Amino acid sequence: MTREALTNELPAVNVALCIKCNKLTNAPVPVRWIQSNSGPGTTLYACPDHAAELAPGPMPGELERGA
């Protein structure tokens, strides 16, 4: 093992709360995006088990005004 391998930054951990079962998942699937009137929008995630059950909602860019 090299010194760089021990001192480099760790990769970002991708953890999110499933909107169906309300449990944390290490493999979140984006299923919906909520636009905000003030500030950035919010992406909602589901665990892989529930992602197929949820109807996909709009994602960023799909709600562009004037389209």
Side-chain angles (χ1 to χ4, degrees):
M1 184 166 285
T2 65
R3 181 177 189 177
E4 290 77 26
L6 295 172
T7 57
N8 284 345
E9 289 186 34
L10 295 173
V13 177
N14 197 10
V15 177
L17 192 66
C18 175
I19 62 171
K20 177 87 173 180
C21 65
N22 294 320
K23 293 183 182 177
L24 287 177
T25 177
N26 290 326
V29 178
V31 291
R32 200 162 288 131
W33 184 72
I34 300 173
Q35 186 173 358
S36 174
N37 289 333
S38 60
T42 302
T43 302
L44 301 178
Y45 297 93
C47 63
D49 293 334
H50 292 121
E53 298 174 16
L54 298 169
M59 294 307 285
E62 293 180 349
L63 296 176
E64 297 296 324
R65 293 184 179 170

